[in-house]
Amino acid sequence: MIPLQPPRRLIDVQIDGEAVRVPEGSTILDACQAAGKDVPTLCYGDTLTPKNACRVCVVEVEGARTLAPACSRKAEAGMKVGTDTERARQSRKVVLELLGSSTDLSTTPRAAEWTAEYGADPERFGDDAATVAQPAKVDNDLYVRDYAKCILCYKCVDACGEQWQNTFAIAVAGRGFDATISTEFDAPLTDSACVYCGNCVEVCPTGALSFKTEFDMRAEGTWDESKQTETTTICSYCGVGCNLTLHVQDNKIVKVTSPHDNPVTKGNLCVKGRFGYGYV
Amino acid sequence: MDLRFRGAQPSQEERAAVDDLLGPPATAWEGGARTELDLRMAARAEEARDLLLPALHAVNDRIGWISEGALEYICRRLTIPPAEAYGVATFYSLFSLEPRPQRVLHVCTDLACQARGAQVVRDRVEERFGPPGKDWHESPCLGMCERAPAALALEAGQPHRAEVYAPATPETITTITGAAPRANGHAPSLEVAGETPVKEAVPQAGEPGLVLLRRIGVVDPASLDDYRAAGGYTALRRAFELGPAGVIREVLESGLVGRGGAAFPTGRKWEAAARQPDHPHYLVCNADESEPGTFKDRVVMEGDPYALVEAMTIAAYATGCAKGYLYIRGEYPRATARLQHAIATARSRGLLGDDILGKGLSFDIELRRGAGAYICGEETAIFNSIEGQRGEPRSKPPFPVEKGLFGKPTVVNNVETLVNVLPILERGAQAYAAAEPKLFCVSGAVERPGVYELTFGTTLRELLDMTGTTGTTRAVLLGGAAGAFVTELDIPLTFEGTRNAGATLGSGVVLVIDDTVDLRRLLLRIAEFFRDESCGQCVPCRVGTVRQEEALHRLSRRVDDSDLVLLREVGQTMRDASICGLGQTAWNAVESAIDRLGVFNR
Amino acid sequence: MSYDRLTHPLVRENGVLRKASWEEALERAAEGFRRNIERHGPDSFAMLSCARSTNEMNYIGQKFTRVVIGTNNVDSCNRTCHAPSVAGLSAVFGSGGGTSSYQEVEDTDVIVMWGSAARNAHPIFFQHVLKGIRKGARMFAVDPRRTGTAQWADLWLGLNVGTDIPLAHAVAREIIHAGLHNEAFIERATVGFEEFRQCVEPWTLTAAEQVTGVPAEAIRELAHAYARADRAQLCWTLGITEHHNATDNVRALINLALLTGHVGRYGSGLSPLRGQNNVQGGGDMGAIPNRLPGFQDLLDPQIRERFESVWGRPIQPSYGRNLTQMLEGMAEGEVTACYMIGENPVQSEADSLACIKRLSMLDHLVVQDIFLTKTAQMADVVLPASAAWCEADGTFTNSERRVQRVRKALEPPGEARDDIWIMCEIARRMGHDWHYDGAEEVWNELRALSPQHRGMTYERLAELQGIQWPCPSEDSLEPPYLHGRLWESDPAKRGTPAPFAVLRHSPPVDLLDEEYPLRLTTGRRLDSYNTGVQSSGFASPLRRGETIEMCPEDAEKLGVVAGEEVRISSRRGTVTAPVYIDPGLRPGLVFMTFHFPDEVDTNALTIEATCPIAGTAEFKAAAVRVEKLVKAG
């Protein structure tokens, strides 16, 4: 027999005063999405265990001392959640300011939109505010690590580590504001355990990790997502049958991703599938 | 795991340091010689990630720093990816991954020491040894506040050694030769050079009526016989009479709440853990006492180590734990030595191990040393640290009693909390509750600094009458860096009383500030402390603590309302949106200083 | 080096290839086929269809062979890798596909990776294995080398190359002697147990240890873990199939599943991992000499009749030549014309010099490819094709039998054209006016003929992100595993019982001796692929070129160091390559890939000893000698 998922009990929660019914085990974020609420997220990844590090998704749960991260906190029966309360908005605003003042969010999708929506002013900390600015690490021909854009969300580490790739080429090193994503002894990727699967790039929410093609095209000013098509097809290498989404601009493949809900890949690829398209 | 190594080799000494801890490698794949059998079959190595921190200590203790060769060897031995091990090693401030001298001086510049002239000492050290970073470091609180200002030298070698300078004065610094401190007997030594008898930290030592401190300065902390002659192990016998459920009932009835700062009812925690169907259960004693201004746990551990061993045994009995971890901060060499000795002695006398006192109880304690990370005192970060991960707090729920150490139900209690269990069982819950003892760490502008034992309800003024004050008292910092400044002295020293006064009892810190102390400088030091100790996991704390410090720097130069607004907004966000208590409390003291002391009033 | 795409047709004139128009090239191609059929009959033609192209292309390719030409001489490079898996599985179960789905590997209790370096060769499949391991499954790796896969194993068994049957037999004997075999399943669902029991009886743990080199305790542990598991997956790759007795190897593993009942249930099964994107589909589409589309037996008159009525031409009622037999036929002058689509046998076949000689004896060679490969350079006509996976529409079928949509994302370069268009144009010139309005129309023709694909409309394939065969109905889905019938209590539903195979150990053909003392085994690396034609197109930071990998002990004995160029010789050829030290090898065992044939022609060393049933060559076991080069001067 094929084991069936045990039926999940449904629970009722209130999101901004609106009753929503979600399966037990759902997160507050799931419930918010079910209620049609747009809660911002950065470190949340649909293929990863929530790390709830960025805290932009915080919501107010009635009776709780602190705000709760929607992405990881489980919804409980009878829970009353405010996604748009003054306190939650204020926290999101300051978190966006803290991120915007320390990190280059220029390639983070929706960052500008949220900054405007919450009235965040990253400039308020002055010109001397510490940042993570640093030169991009370009140490191989496949992908680039521009840690000036890194919000330390841990997604790349989790994708490289035990959640998917199990290669463990990178980890968080150091502590506090000085913490960085690093190989051992900050060795270049070419001298690390990296196998260039690009699964870290796939999950990076800010563009800190990007394919060399995209990085170069952005530098040249030729990167134009409005001119790109996305077509999902099957990898041409081994017989596993990984689904590739080809991002094509001017009849050239400029980026390869994989659908996150695909039963074969779950959004992951290997070096050949991700980068081995050069021959066409 | 298919680990990839860059190929750095350990020195013989580094290899020996690791092998002394782990034993020789079992197979070629773990760093041993290649045998015929290795090339024909290989079994998965036993999970031993939790030995990473001890292995890093082993190398750092022997060599003084951890080379890439040593780290790779540790990784091979324990099957740990080098990038992960590097991430862990760089988390702790006591480890260095760059060459450094064998002997390194840690000069405390934290609150209690600053209130007692640490700046002069620090400047003198810099004058003698050059800028910090190599031969010496500025250190967060070393837990020797009663002898402030303090400094601690740690020297690598076999055995590694420590020397205490407390109080450190410009004169004592001048006498530091940089040579090895004198050897003090065979390892593990129970004494540390430069230390003074523990009872000097307990002004009440020997007074009748003391409960928690009654043996300190009275019995020989090395002697199990002394301990037993002074009432030791009667509580455990009583526990066996009551049975596990009876012990929990007694603790519940006593009303004991956690002394680590969160004040959660201990009995409820034990009851919840004992009920968990998942096994094994673990006990963790949180002896990572690092809140600036706190030193009571050190004094208890140094002066009455068997009390903690007995208390842990009782907790384990009540909650069904076969294994306990005693996680002690890395800056406590004497407490570490004495507890190691006490654990070994108790084990050799059948008071730990199998069939304790012939009652069929099986329990043992493993001591784990921290390595310089305040955050590891957070109740879930301590699990990650023991497991060999970066000491980052976990999200709650799930709570430790459900999923704690190694994902199993875990009871985590602070040292002071645990030792309170002894009088509860010895006297009975009611008698205990009638005069519930609480320890306070008094430092700063007082005549007789030290650990004081009071019954709950004593007012702050009464306490200061006992200690005597010096100069003109301007404020008292209650609860440490995560606490708050108060000026009102008639508040009762209870959890409720301090809460009503907008403060917290926290870890029992009573740091008296007189009018000679530069408050702005003190606030900056608090901000620096949180910035240094933030683990970096969540944005509000990682960036917020930096922005708080930057704003305080600006405010110390020029008071600007926009910076005050900024501080409040950032502070509130840290409080609301940080993952753990560090970020949530990082703004407390600054806020109270602004609101109550008018530090930035124009 | 990297290859340039073919952008226009080429024809040979005065011994050299020159640019030609499509019209001229197609006419030349068709003319040559006509000429050879007229002179030597349809069986002088052979088609090598492309395991990397779509199901639709393969369907048209085999239809071209059977209908336009009138022969069953169609095969694909399946032959060089997994034909033995298909042969073995279909002999036992009547169907050549792997029995399980990837998801089941995550939900199983014991995973045996036998002769499979999936960590590097099938990385995304291995992610499913890792999920299984993280969920508590025990993994066993059987491989001469301690590969990345083996390093994840609970237990690695480092057997001698080519001793898989003794090891499997010893596992079986241990299971039987420990009373751990599944008697009820054996009784109901299998035949030939008694003979099998007798055949494995001599293989005691001690006897097996002597032959395989694997310590008895390790064999025992594998046997007990596999037999005791509630669910167990047995996965293999080329370590099993690239041997001269490969089908026997496959049967030896299937025996273990029959013995323990680890087949036909959720979580228990047999998974051969396919080496090329559409090897599974090529065979499913009938691009093999003995099956019609839908893996239907050519010798069944009823089935043939169905196809004949749709195709309008009789099908020869006999099996055609497989790749190996085609090559032999070329040598003997029986095969004179060949249509080669996307295949590069000059560099992928064992004993490559012999292959070149055979191809050069052809009267007419048409190569349809995206590159001017070594094989294309020998052709009379070269037809530039589109790259199936991104310049064409269609479907591929993966190792878990999942048919998935391939979609066109790019326009092919220059004059390159879609495979199906090219074949239809040649067919038209040979009197068959085929018209297909896109790949979907081809697919629907296939669906009408193949019951196991019938329920797979393009719409459903898109919606469900692929469907595993069999899928006979448009309204429902079958379980993800095959052969559940074996567990039915009703004998009628249970169907044909699965036969145990009585097998004999046959050591590698290329014997080790004093002159050739080292065992060379071959395989893939993570970032490269087969003959490197595709994978050379990107700048992999991992690529270090071809090397000969050896253990530190051998390197020391030979007095060579990492990076040093050495000479490697077998009884067939000699190459030079730099040394790479791999502690995962043991003394006497060396390793190479065939990813860089232009720099190091590893297949000059390998032996063309082929499996008599499936025709696969023994890439995994050559005898070689490694010598230090004496520096000139």
Side-chain angles (χ1 to χ4, degrees):
Chain A
M1 275 307 293
I2 311 165
L4 295 168
Q5 295 290 331
R8 288 205 286 175
R9 214 160 59 88
L10 294 173
I11 54 170
D12 292 307
V13 294
Q14 267 190 32
I15 308 289
D16 296 335
E18 188 181 320
V20 185
R21 182 165 285 192
V22 290
E24 196 171 26
S26 303
T27 61
I28 293 177
L29 185 64
D30 295 332
C32 290
Q33 281 162 355
K37 303 286 176 191
D38 180 25
V39 175
T41 61
L42 281 172
C43 73
Y44 170 76
D46 55 358
T47 58
L48 296 164
T49 305
K51 181 72 186 169
N52 63 68
C54 77
R55 317 303 278 190
V56 294
C57 72
V58 287
V59 293
E60 194 162 354
V61 174
E62 196 174 287
R65 181 173 54 87
T66 56
L67 299 175
C71 68
S72 67
R73 179 66 56 81
K74 296 270 184 288
E76 292 163 28
M79 198 179 239
K80 290 187 176 131
V81 176
T83 68
D84 211 33
T85 64
E86 183 51 40
R87 203 170 151 211
R89 289 186 66 91
Q90 174 69 14
S91 242
R92 276 184 215 151
K93 180 195 92 153
V94 174
V95 165
L96 287 166
E97 287 173 342
L98 293 174
L99 280 175
S101 63
S102 55
T103 318
D104 172 5
L105 299 181
S106 61
T107 53
T108 304
R110 299 193 69 186
E113 175 198 332
W114 291 329
T115 302
E117 181 184 342
Y118 291 97
D121 172 21
E123 307 297 318
R124 69 191 292 206
F125 301 110
D127 298 335
D128 298 336
T131 70
V132 296
Q134 57 190 295
K137 290 179 193 281
V138 188
D139 53 14
N140 69 86
D141 291 332
L142 302 185
Y143 74 97
V144 174
R145 297 178 292 157
D146 186 357
Y147 289 134
K149 293 177 173 175
C150 175
I151 59 165
L152 217 71
C153 69
Y154 291 67
K155 281 161 91 171
C156 57
V157 174
D158 287 345
C160 186
E162 69 173 28
Q163 290 190 32
W164 289 112
Q165 182 57 31
N166 285 279
T167 291
F168 302 99
I170 45 170
V172 180
R175 197 166 75 191
F177 194 74
D178 299 328
T180 54
I181 308 293
S182 178
T183 57
E184 63 269 30
F185 292 89
D186 201 19
L189 278 185
T190 46
D191 198 16
S192 77
C194 179
V195 293
Y196 306 93
C197 61
N199 293 330
C200 54
V201 185
E202 177 89 41
V203 298
C204 178
T206 65
L209 302 176
S210 67
F211 300 114
K212 185 76 168 17
T213 42
E214 176 173 345
F215 183 82
D216 289 344
M217 288 173 75
R218 281 186 189 277
E220 289 166 6
T222 52
W223 181 259
D224 185 354
E225 287 179 11
S226 70
K227 283 167 66 186
Q228 292 172 12
T229 55
E230 293 180 23
T231 310
T232 297
T233 185
I234 309 301
C235 179
S236 65
Y237 286 91
C238 79
V240 171
C242 297
N243 286 235
L244 309 179
T245 300
L246 307 179
H247 301 240
V248 173
Q249 183 177 332
D250 299 330
N251 205 39
K252 279 205 173 64
I253 300 171
V254 293
K255 175 159 110 173
V256 177
T257 59
S258 183
H260 290 191
D261 61 349
N262 184 262
V264 175
T265 67
K266 320 268 174 89
N268 297 291
L269 295 173
C270 78
V271 60
K272 295 193 290 290
R274 183 84 67 186
F275 296 106
Y277 55 79
Y279 70 95
V280 290
Chain B
M1 264 193 210
D2 49 347
L3 301 182
R4 186 185 181 281
F5 295 101
R6 278 154 42 93
Q9 295 300 318
S11 70
Q12 271 196 338
E13 189 70 5
E14 289 165 337
R15 184 185 284 266
V18 177
D19 288 352
D20 283 354
L21 174 77
L22 303 174
T27 70
W29 310 114
E30 288 148 52
R34 281 160 71 90
T35 67
E36 284 272 309
L37 188 64
D38 286 332
L39 301 176
R40 287 299 186 171
M41 64 179 280
R44 179 196 292 268
E46 294 282 320
E47 284 278 326
R49 174 75 185 246
D50 71 296
L51 290 174
L52 176 56
L53 188 53
L56 292 170
H57 266 305
V59 172
N60 199 65
D61 283 348
R62 181 91 57 108
I63 315 294
W65 66 287
I66 301 158
S67 72
E68 184 164 6
L71 192 78
E72 281 207 0
Y73 185 63
I74 290 171
C75 289
R76 242 181 240 284
R77 291 300 316 273
L78 301 175
T79 320
I80 297 172
E84 293 239 320
Y86 179 76
V88 172
T90 53
F91 188 83
Y92 296 99
S93 65
L94 290 184
F95 296 146
S96 173
L97 287 107
E98 282 160 21
R100 64 173 175 184
Q102 258 188 304
R103 182 188 163 95
V104 176
L105 186 66
H106 299 262
V107 180
C108 181
T109 54
D110 221 322
L111 307 181
C113 287
Q114 207 178 92
R116 303 279 291 206
Q119 192 63 36
V120 195
V121 175
R122 184 218 164 276
D123 292 345
R124 174 72 187 119
V125 170
E126 181 159 21
E127 207 175 290
R128 270 208 69 191
F129 297 107
K134 251 188 137 47
D135 296 80
W136 72 281
H137 295 269
E138 290 186 25
S139 173
C141 180
L142 290 169
M144 292 187 280
C145 319
E146 84 281 9
R147 285 168 284 165
L152 172 69
L154 296 176
E155 186 180 280
Q158 193 183 21
H160 60 281
R161 288 186 283 243
E163 184 165 4
V164 161
Y165 304 94
T169 60
E171 289 70 46
T172 54
I173 295 304
T174 310
T175 65
I176 293 177
T177 60
R182 65 178 150 50
N184 35 32
H186 56 277
S189 166
L190 300 191
E191 280 307 325
V192 165
E195 273 286 13
T196 50
V198 191
K199 72 171 180 200
E200 292 184 11
V202 182
Q204 297 162 298
E207 282 179 21
L210 288 176
V211 179
L212 303 174
L213 300 177
R214 71 184 194 275
R215 279 184 287 260
I216 294 178
V218 176
V219 302
D220 173 1
S223 166
L224 179 57
D225 292 331
D226 257 24
Y227 176 69
R228 297 191 77 160
Y233 280 100
T234 54
L236 182 61
R237 284 191 193 286
R238 175 84 184 121
F240 285 135
E241 286 165 28
L242 293 167
V247 174
I248 291 175
R249 201 179 318 117
E250 209 63 22
V251 174
L252 271 170
E253 274 175 31
S254 74
L256 175 65
V257 300
R259 305 294 199 237
F264 189 83
T266 307
R268 273 175 49 201
K269 192 185 272 186
W270 287 18
E271 193 178 36
R275 261 207 317 260
Q276 294 292 322
D278 194 11
H279 274 88
H281 295 181
Y282 289 105
L283 172 69
V284 173
C285 170
N286 186 347
D288 192 42
E289 179 176 64
S290 310
E291 184 65 45
T294 315
F295 50 99
K296 61 191 172 63
D297 292 347
R298 173 181 62 78
V299 166
V300 169
M301 291 188 286
E302 288 178 349
D304 198 8
Y306 290 101
L308 185 57
V309 174
E310 183 186 359
M312 283 181 72
T313 310
I314 292 166
Y317 174 65
T319 56
C321 302
K323 173 124 196 204
Y325 287 87
L326 173 54
Y327 187 97
I328 188 166
R329 74 177 295 206
E331 295 88 341
Y332 278 180
R334 182 160 70 170
T336 303
R338 290 187 175 179
L339 272 162
Q340 270 166 340
H341 175 77
I343 291 167
T345 310
R347 195 180 290 132
S348 72
R349 300 271 288 271
L351 293 165
L352 285 175
D354 291 331
D355 198 19
I356 293 168
L357 289 176
K359 298 289 183 187
L361 172 65
S362 187
F363 174 68
D364 212 334
I365 299 174
E366 194 172 325
L367 185 140
R368 290 292 176 90
R369 280 157 67 203
Y374 167 73
I375 191 59
C376 289
E378 199 276 344
E379 64 171 356
T380 56
I382 205 170
F383 302 150
N384 281 337
S385 183
I386 293 172
E387 291 177 21
Q389 309 285 344
R390 291 165 55 82
E392 293 168 355
R394 301 176 182 172
S395 286
K396 292 180 279 192
F399 292 95
V401 290
E402 303 160 51
K403 283 189 190 307
L405 187 62
F406 303 114
K408 298 295 177 186
T410 303
V411 177
V412 50
N413 284 135
N414 156 272
V415 172
E416 184 187 349
T417 313
L418 283 166
V419 295
N420 268 282
V421 172
L422 303 178
I424 291 170
L425 293 188
E426 286 158 3
R427 295 155 192 227
Q430 283 183 349
Y432 166 86
E436 188 178 347
K438 173 78 191 95
L439 301 180
F440 291 91
C441 314
V442 186
S443 61
V446 292
E447 284 168 5
R448 289 172 297 282
V451 176
Y452 284 81
E453 178 180 320
L454 304 176
T455 51
F456 271 108
T458 313
T459 64
L460 179 54
R461 186 180 303 281
E462 286 165 337
L463 173 58
L464 295 188
D465 286 346
M466 291 169 74
T467 67
T469 52
T470 59
T472 310
T473 300
R474 182 168 173 202
V476 176
L477 179 62
L478 282 185
F485 290 97
V486 295
T487 48
E488 167 62 57
L489 297 185
D490 289 315
I491 53 177
L493 293 173
T494 60
F495 290 106
E496 204 187 7
T498 49
R499 199 179 312 124
N500 291 343
T504 169
L505 213 48
S507 55
V509 170
V510 177
L511 173 59
V512 181
I513 311 292
D514 67 15
D515 55 2
T516 66
V517 173
D518 178 349
L519 270 175
R520 291 180 179 188
R521 179 71 207 112
L522 198 68
L523 290 189
L524 264 175
R525 178 57 203 155
I526 290 174
E528 271 169 27
F529 174 80
F530 283 112
R531 180 210 61 201
D532 284 346
E533 298 298 339
S534 168
C535 76
Q537 193 178 198
C538 67
V539 174
C541 175
R542 179 177 78 237
V543 189
T545 54
V546 172
R547 298 289 177 255
Q548 171 170 278
E549 188 198 359
E550 289 167 350
L552 286 171
H553 269 293
R554 286 194 297 273
L555 283 164
S556 346
R557 292 193 300 269
R558 194 175 72 87
V559 175
D560 183 330
D561 286 344
S562 72
D563 274 328
L564 290 170
V565 172
L566 184 152
L567 266 182
R568 268 184 216 285
E569 287 191 14
V570 170
Q572 189 60 38
T573 299
M574 288 197 284
R575 185 177 286 162
D576 276 347
S578 295
I579 292 179
C580 79
L582 187 149
Q584 289 163 12
T585 58
W587 149 248
N588 285 2
V590 179
E591 180 186 34
S592 68
I594 294 172
D595 290 347
R596 293 179 197 155
L597 310 183
V599 177
F600 297 115
N601 286 357
R602 274 182 287 199
Chain C
M1 67 170 286
S2 70
Y3 289 79
D4 286 330
R5 281 289 295 272
L6 276 170
T7 53
H8 48 74
L10 302 169
V11 296
R12 188 167 299 279
E13 190 173 273
N14 301 326
V16 291
L17 286 171
R18 66 156 169 85
K19 194 168 165 179
S21 70
W22 268 109
E23 187 52 41
E24 181 186 9
L26 291 167
E27 189 45 48
R28 281 275 292 268
E31 191 278 324
F33 293 146
R34 273 198 305 267
R35 184 177 67 232
N36 279 279
I37 296 170
E38 279 162 22
R39 282 190 203 158
H40 309 290
D43 289 340
S44 66
F45 172 94
M47 171 177 278
L48 266 184
S49 181
C50 183
R52 287 192 299 275
S53 194
T54 60
N55 288 328
E56 289 75 0
M57 177 267 137
N58 277 281
Y59 174 81
I60 294 295
Q62 61 83 35
K63 184 175 169 186
F64 181 93
T65 309
R66 292 186 168 117
V67 175
V68 176
I69 308 289
T71 177
N72 287 315
N73 289 346
V74 55
D75 204 0
S76 73
C77 79
N78 176 314
R79 204 53 56 192
T80 55
C81 47
H82 260 302
S85 303
V86 175
L89 287 164
S90 54
V92 178
F93 303 112
S95 165
T99 73
S100 299
S101 59
Y102 301 159
Q103 180 61 41
E104 288 171 70
V105 173
E106 296 185 19
D107 296 334
T108 195
D109 303 317
V110 165
I111 303 165
V112 183
M113 303 294 298
W114 198 310
S116 170
R119 174 63 153 162
N120 283 341
H122 299 98
I124 299 300
F125 173 77
F126 200 71
Q127 288 202 354
H128 294 272
V129 173
L130 287 165
K131 285 275 176 204
I133 292 173
R134 296 265 174 221
K135 284 195 206 168
R138 296 187 72 204
M139 195 264 272
F140 291 79
V142 180
D143 199 308
R145 299 184 296 148
R146 191 165 187 263
T147 59
T149 307
Q151 289 176 50
W152 278 98
D154 287 88
L155 190 64
W156 163 64
L157 292 79
L159 80 175
N160 290 326
V161 174
T163 61
D164 302 86
I165 291 174
L167 185 65
H169 278 5
V171 168
R173 183 188 183 277
E174 176 62 24
I175 289 171
I176 295 167
H177 277 256
L180 298 172
H181 52 305
N182 190 330
E183 290 184 44
F185 181 81
I186 292 168
E187 168 69 32
R188 281 206 206 167
T190 72
V191 288
F193 174 66
E194 191 47 40
E195 294 80 356
F196 172 67
R197 197 184 59 73
Q198 286 168 19
C199 134
V200 300
E201 186 53 31
W203 289 104
T204 60
L205 296 180
T206 327
E209 175 167 343
Q210 278 169 3
V211 173
T212 64
V214 178
E217 55 181 299
I219 305 174
R220 185 179 181 282
E221 194 176 334
L222 169 59
H224 283 245
Y226 183 69
R228 285 176 185 278
D230 179 24
R231 298 170 173 179
Q233 287 286 342
L234 189 43
C235 311
W236 68 88
T237 315
L238 306 184
I240 280 294
T241 58
E242 287 185 348
H243 284 286
H244 74 281
N245 55 343
T247 308
D248 283 359
N249 281 347
V250 171
R251 293 294 298 269
L253 300 189
I254 298 173
N255 282 338
L256 298 180
L258 298 180
L259 187 62
T260 51
H262 282 315
V263 67
R265 292 185 290 131
Y266 187 87
S268 275
L270 295 157
S271 298
L273 299 170
R274 300 321 188 85
Q276 301 206 14
N277 48 358
N278 204 28
V279 164
Q280 180 71 49
D284 294 347
M285 291 302 113
I288 44 177
N290 58 343
R291 298 278 176 166
L292 287 165
F295 209 69
Q296 302 179 82
D297 194 342
L298 188 73
L299 297 185
D300 184 329
Q302 278 185 324
I303 290 171
R304 266 203 321 277
E305 200 178 314
R306 187 145 35 91
F307 282 89
E308 286 163 350
S309 70
V310 174
W311 287 349
R313 165 150 192 186
I315 297 166
Q316 281 201 46
S318 59
Y319 293 157
R321 288 174 186 267
N322 65 29
L323 169 59
T324 314
Q325 293 159 343
M326 288 174 190
L327 289 168
E328 285 165 7
M330 292 174 200
E332 286 152 20
E334 290 168 5
V335 171
T336 55
C338 183
Y339 189 178
M340 187 103 59
I341 304 178
E343 293 293 331
N344 186 17
V346 167
Q347 289 182 312
S348 61
E349 288 301 297
D351 201 350
S352 46
L353 290 173
C355 181
I356 292 175
K357 207 170 136 199
R358 287 164 179 183
L359 289 177
S360 65
M361 293 174 73
L362 287 168
D363 172 65
H364 185 56
L365 174 61
V366 177
V367 171
Q368 180 169 317
D369 208 318
I370 62 174
F371 299 116
L372 191 64
T373 61
K374 283 265 166 81
T375 306
Q377 287 166 29
M378 298 181 66
D380 297 291
V381 182
V382 178
L383 304 171
S386 58
W389 66 284
C390 61
E391 293 166 1
D393 281 305
T395 57
F396 287 164
T397 308
N398 74 1
S399 293
E400 59 167 355
R401 297 170 279 105
R402 183 182 295 275
V403 178
Q404 305 188 97
R405 274 303 313 277
V406 172
R407 296 180 182 88
K408 180 172 176 173
L410 296 173
E411 290 302 328
E415 296 173 39
R417 291 301 195 99
D418 185 82
D419 284 308
I420 294 176
W421 179 87
I422 300 171
M423 285 189 286
C424 288
E425 285 298 314
I426 298 177
R428 198 160 59 79
R429 284 167 175 76
M430 295 179 74
H432 292 263
D433 199 10
W434 289 350
H435 279 291
Y436 289 101
D437 193 14
E440 187 166 7
E441 199 179 331
V442 178
W443 183 248
N444 287 338
E445 181 176 315
L446 174 269
R447 282 175 52 224
L449 288 164
S450 167
Q452 67 183 14
H453 295 97
R454 190 155 296 151
M456 301 179 182
T457 62
Y458 269 19
E459 194 185 346
R460 274 188 103 198
L461 289 175
E463 183 192 339
L464 299 170
Q465 304 202 56
I467 300 174
Q468 290 175 271
W469 62 250
C471 178
S473 158
E474 284 184 44
D475 307 316
S476 60
L477 290 175
E478 298 296 304
Y481 54 89
L482 295 179
H483 317 315
R485 64 175 173 89
L486 295 173
W487 293 89
E488 293 284 351
S489 47
D490 175 356
K493 285 187 185 164
R494 208 151 62 221
T496 315
F500 279 98
V502 172
L503 307 165
R504 198 175 52 80
H505 171 42
S506 170
V509 175
D510 209 14
L511 294 174
L512 300 180
D513 60 16
E514 279 181 17
E515 208 179 335
Y516 300 103
L518 298 174
R519 178 59 75 202
L520 168 71
T521 192
T522 62
R524 280 185 188 164
R525 291 206 194 102
L526 171 64
D527 63 331
S528 297
Y529 181 73
N530 290 3
T531 59
V533 174
Q534 280 171 272
S535 52
S536 57
F538 74 108
S540 168
L542 297 169
R543 195 170 301 136
R544 55 167 194 263
E546 188 55 82
T547 52
I548 173 142
E549 300 180 15
M550 61 175 72
C551 69
E553 292 84 356
D554 278 346
E556 198 185 328
K557 212 165 89 188
L558 289 163
V560 298
V561 295
E564 181 175 341
E565 194 87 2
V566 292
R567 180 186 302 116
I568 308 118
S569 317
S570 77
R571 296 187 175 96
R572 290 153 299 280
T574 294
V575 300
T576 62
V579 167
Y580 181 86
I581 309 287
D582 178 6
L585 292 163
R586 61 170 173 267
L589 184 64
V590 296
F591 176 83
M592 295 179 78
T593 77
F594 52 101
H595 295 319
F596 306 94
D598 297 322
E599 288 85 29
V600 180
D601 187 8
T602 305
N603 281 340
L605 301 171
T606 51
I607 184 169
E608 203 199 0
T610 53
C611 170
I613 303 166
T616 311
E618 192 153 64
F619 287 101
K620 291 295 182 194
V624 299
R625 174 175 73 235
V626 175
E627 292 160 300
K628 196 175 169 72
L629 290 179
V630 183
K631 288 232 171 61

